[in-house]
Amino acid sequence: MTPADPVLDVLNEAQRNAVTSDPDHCTLVLAGAGSGKTRVLTHRFAWLVKTQDIQPKEILTVTFTNKAAAEMRGRIERLRGQPAGGLWVGTFHALARRMLLRFHEEAGLPGNFQILDREDQKTLIRQILRDLDQPRKARDVADAARWISLKKGEGLRARHIEPENKREEVRLQVMERYERRCDQSGLVDFDELLLRCVELLRDHSAVQQHYQLRFRHLLVDEFQDVDDLQNAWLKLLAGDERPLFVVGDDDQSIYGWRGARPRHILDFQKNHKNVQVWPLEQNYRSITPVLEAANALIGNNDDRLQKRLWTDRPERDPITVFSAPTGGAEATYVVGKIEQWVRAGGRWDECAVLYRTNRQSQPFETNLNNRQIPYRVYGGIRFFERREVKDTLAYLRLCLNPNDDVAWQRVCNVPPRGIGAGTVEAVRTAASAADGSLFAVAQEQVKSQPTSRAGRALAEFEECMAALREETQGCGLAEALRRILDKSGLLAMYQENDRELEEVRSENLGELVNSAAAFEDAWEPDEDDGPGLTEAFLDSTALQAGERGEGASGDAVQLMTLHMAKGLEFPVVFIVGLEDGVLPMTREDSPLEEERRLCYVGMTRARQQLVLTHAYERLIFGRMSSGLVPSRFLHELPDEYTETEVPKDFIPPASAFLARYGAGAARPVPAADLDVPGPGTAVVHPKFGSGIIVEYEGRPPQLRVQVRFDDMDAGVKWFMYDYAKLECR
């Protein structure tokens, strides 16, 4: 009897073919939603080690989230029956950080460089906008941060960019100052980790050769989400000889707005020689109606690699499409369905409400609150982003690096010491003029103005930091945090607040110390001259703060955006707000095909029940918006797998017919006794092109018609009929 093989026996035929594909050739595993892509990656790792004389440390495995990296390390440990210590399994950012720490001098970085998380990055950009006398509202800061991120994702420095207009001139000035300030403080943001590492490998052939000799195989997860910089990093590591084994799904590429390029997976066969392609189409998550509807939806995208999901599960409950008169009625219906699920024996946390934008959560939160149903909104403040946690970590950062400007400014007056905004501004202005750090300039001001109020306050802070550096030197990480909390006055400051806040923040600070103790127990020094314990902990917290999601907590209904839902699954899924202009969203950086992929991702989160809802009017930014048109995605779903529900006694507008059956089935419907084309009539406009009349109101000569145009940029428009210049087809 042949002994069981734990690496291959648990795989289906398609998975086994992918795992055992020729290790000397590049491989593309086209893994559909729910088809077991993580299993394929981990079993490929185990198969290489078991059968190909490959050492675990010779395999570089890249993921997109820390959660995925941890899951992969755990699976590899179980398959090998050995601890996964020393493995190079992690996110692009975490792996780039390891390389930069090993070769920091070649990369032009100090050995104790720190990672700037996204909140601190925005703080620094806000200060720079103030220095440039530019608007610095949240959207201005976010716009500048996003522009810098996109440029770095294209592999560009400020010196490489030629501004095309006045707006870009300002953005470029911000980027120039931002780069300089980060260099002065020994700080790198997430994008800088990759860009600096690409430059390191590109410009130092000895470093590139070091890693090419070390890594004989490169495994990459979620390849559809790589941007140009990540792809360049992989190419530099692979060279001409090391095969890439990539797993991804072009149908789930939904991050174009932050630089992801689906072209890298679509053109993988063109860009590499002798590529083996293995599609994984058997889905282990969803029932047939969900998969058939998702297949039909995504089939409307032209630029995609062909595959069709299927399952052998017997359940065939149809998808529900609910038409609500108002947004409030939509929320009431959804919450009622959730209660029905729980009454039948289900759990609250088995239900997820997915929406296109965060602002859509409000009516559902209100409804859940009113019915005293527990719920959780994803995307809230994560642990390492909480104020009291970041304050404590800023002190720890300053103990390591006094020239960390972001940390200095965060806590120079926390707890209050009399260092007012005017003093901080004076220090910042002087530091900018002298091209120096805030710490160095503050020391000079203490020397030159020792008796002034500002001088005394700055001196108090510097004395505090000097004492903390001495107190924390040589002690363990958790003990260092305890001493910082005690000696800095942070814990006492938080305990002066009201009792509820005191308890929450005290618990958070206690949890921070616990987290540090656990990290300390588990930490193993990096074999490549990695950072010390404290530096490694700070890097870990920054990387976790940069994660775009977090795990569920307790038995509560899950509310999140469609982007947040990627990688998750639930027995019951509601996708709400399916209206043109919302989903799909009409926005320049979110083309129709990516919006369709986003809807596809949402649909394939459902295991047992999928409910799609839309409303004909809802509150948007405090105003009632009526005449909303059901999403064009609804009429791309097959009739045999869907059923429509409407509230009792509610008669949907004529546009419901179009949303349900689409332009191909459109037919003229008489507009009462008026001698004009009614809803359902296909028309052509000389400026906006082809479309369909979906509503009308009034009577001649004041008759208005609403047309939904096929062109997403044109969207839905109202016209006075006499001036519409619409040609019926």
Side-chain angles (χ1 to χ4, degrees), residues 410-447:
R410 183 176 186 93
V411 294
C412 66
N413 199 43
V414 180
R417 298 183 176 89
I419 303 176
T423 300
V424 173
E425 185 63 24
V427 172
R428 286 186 57 256
T429 302
S432 180
D435 211 14
S437 71
L438 301 182
F439 167 72
V441 169
Q443 283 191 315
E444 290 300 319
Q445 291 205 8
V446 169
K447 292 176 183 176

Side-chain angles (χ1 to χ4, degrees), residues 132-151:
L132 293 171
D133 198 25
Q134 293 293 324
R136 51 186 185 275
K137 292 182 179 178
R139 64 175 177 269
D140 304 309
V141 175
D143 175 74
R146 182 169 175 270
W147 190 79
I148 292 171
S149 177
L150 288 174
K151 292 304 176 186

Side-chain angles (χ1 to χ4, degrees), residues 171-236:
R171 287 168 164 172
L172 184 56
Q173 287 180 314
V174 174
M175 187 173 182
E176 289 169 340
R177 294 196 180 203
Y178 176 77
E179 286 181 352
R180 190 162 61 247
R181 293 281 296 276
C182 286
D183 286 342
Q184 290 168 352
S185 299
L187 299 172
V188 295
D189 60 31
F190 296 117
D191 302 297
E192 183 71 18
L193 285 169
L194 262 296
L195 178 54
R196 189 78 63 135
C197 197
V198 164
E199 293 169 341
L200 172 68
L201 296 169
R202 183 194 65 202
D203 301 337
H204 295 82
S205 58
V207 177
Q208 183 186 27
Q209 186 178 24
H210 169 83
Y211 285 114
Q212 286 185 343
L213 289 173
R214 169 156 193 169
F215 300 123
R216 295 170 60 186
H217 288 270
L218 282 74
L219 313 183
V220 187
D221 192 13
E222 303 284 13
F223 191 69
Q224 77 280 350
D225 291 334
V226 300
D227 60 25
D228 292 339
L229 194 61
Q230 291 160 343
N231 194 56
W233 185 75
L234 290 169
K235 283 185 174 180
L236 286 166

Side-chain angles (χ1 to χ4, degrees), residues 15 18 28-41 220-224 246-252 265 277-283 285 305-307 309 566 600 605:
Q15 292 170 338
L28 168 60
V29 181
L30 195 59
S35 63
K37 67 178 180 61
T38 303
R39 170 174 284 191
V40 166
L41 269 176
V220 187
D221 192 13
E222 303 284 13
F223 191 69
Q224 77 280 350
V246 304
V247 179
D249 181 6
D250 56 309
D251 289 335
Q252 295 188 73
I265 191 170
V277 180
W278 299 103
L280 304 182
E281 299 176 306
Q282 183 174 1
N283 178 283
R285 176 188 301 155
L305 302 171
Q306 296 299 315
K307 65 180 177 307
L309 297 178
K566 189 171 182 293
Y600 171 86
R605 301 309 94 194

Side-chain angles (χ1 to χ4, degrees), residues 113-128:
F113 73 82
Q114 291 296 311
I115 299 174
L116 193 68
D117 70 26
R118 299 191 189 281
E119 182 186 333
D120 286 340
Q121 178 189 31
K122 289 181 178 180
T123 298
L124 182 53
I125 289 173
R126 187 176 292 106
Q127 295 166 4
I128 293 170

Side-chain angles (χ1 to χ4, degrees), residues 556-571:
V557 177
Q558 309 296 305
L559 275 63
M560 68 192 78
T561 65
L562 286 157
H563 284 99
M564 279 282 191
K566 189 171 182 293
L568 303 176
E569 59 182 68
F570 305 92

Side-chain angles (χ1 to χ4, degrees), residues 333-499:
Y333 171 82
V334 168
V335 174
K337 293 286 282 187
I338 292 172
E339 288 180 311
Q340 183 180 333
W341 172 264
V342 173
R343 284 196 299 270
R347 291 169 52 92
W348 299 117
D349 62 0
E350 293 174 332
C351 303
V353 181
L354 312 182
Y355 34 77
R356 181 62 180 83
T357 61
N358 278 309
R359 64 176 172 80
Q360 293 172 257
S361 72
Q362 189 275 326
F364 300 96
E365 291 191 61
T366 299
N367 212 298
L368 291 164
N369 266 321
N370 290 342
R371 302 197 202 185
Q372 298 183 324
I373 296 173
Y375 70 92
R376 178 173 180 274
V377 181
Y378 274 56
I381 299 176
R382 292 175 282 275
F383 180 77
F384 288 111
E385 292 178 331
R386 289 170 180 150
R387 192 184 90 180
E388 60 273 21
V389 172
K390 287 183 68 67
D391 287 346
T392 308
L393 294 177
Y395 271 104
L396 186 61
R397 284 164 53 182
L398 283 175
C399 287
L400 290 176
N401 177 16
N403 293 314
D404 187 331
D405 284 355
V406 174
W408 188 95
Q409 184 161 337
R410 183 176 186 93
V411 294
C412 66
N413 199 43
V414 180
R417 298 183 176 89
I419 303 176
T423 300
V424 173
E425 185 63 24
V427 172
R428 286 186 57 256
T429 302
S432 180
D435 211 14
S437 71
L438 301 182
F439 167 72
V441 169
Q443 283 191 315
E444 290 300 319
Q445 291 205 8
V446 169
K447 292 176 183 176
S448 62
Q449 306 172 31
T451 60
S452 68
R453 181 178 176 183
R456 291 195 303 271
L458 290 170
E460 179 188 339
F461 179 51
E462 294 311 323
E463 289 169 5
C464 172
M465 286 310 310
L468 284 175
R469 290 186 193 104
E470 184 176 350
E471 283 273 346
T472 56
Q473 192 169 8
C475 68
L477 175 60
E479 179 59 28
L481 286 173
R482 289 190 193 97
R483 295 182 184 186
I484 285 172
L485 289 170
D486 181 36
K487 303 295 183 181
S488 68
L490 278 176
L491 195 56
M493 179 190 72
Y494 292 130
Q495 289 176 344
E496 290 172 3
N497 289 303
D498 63 84
R499 180 171 176 76

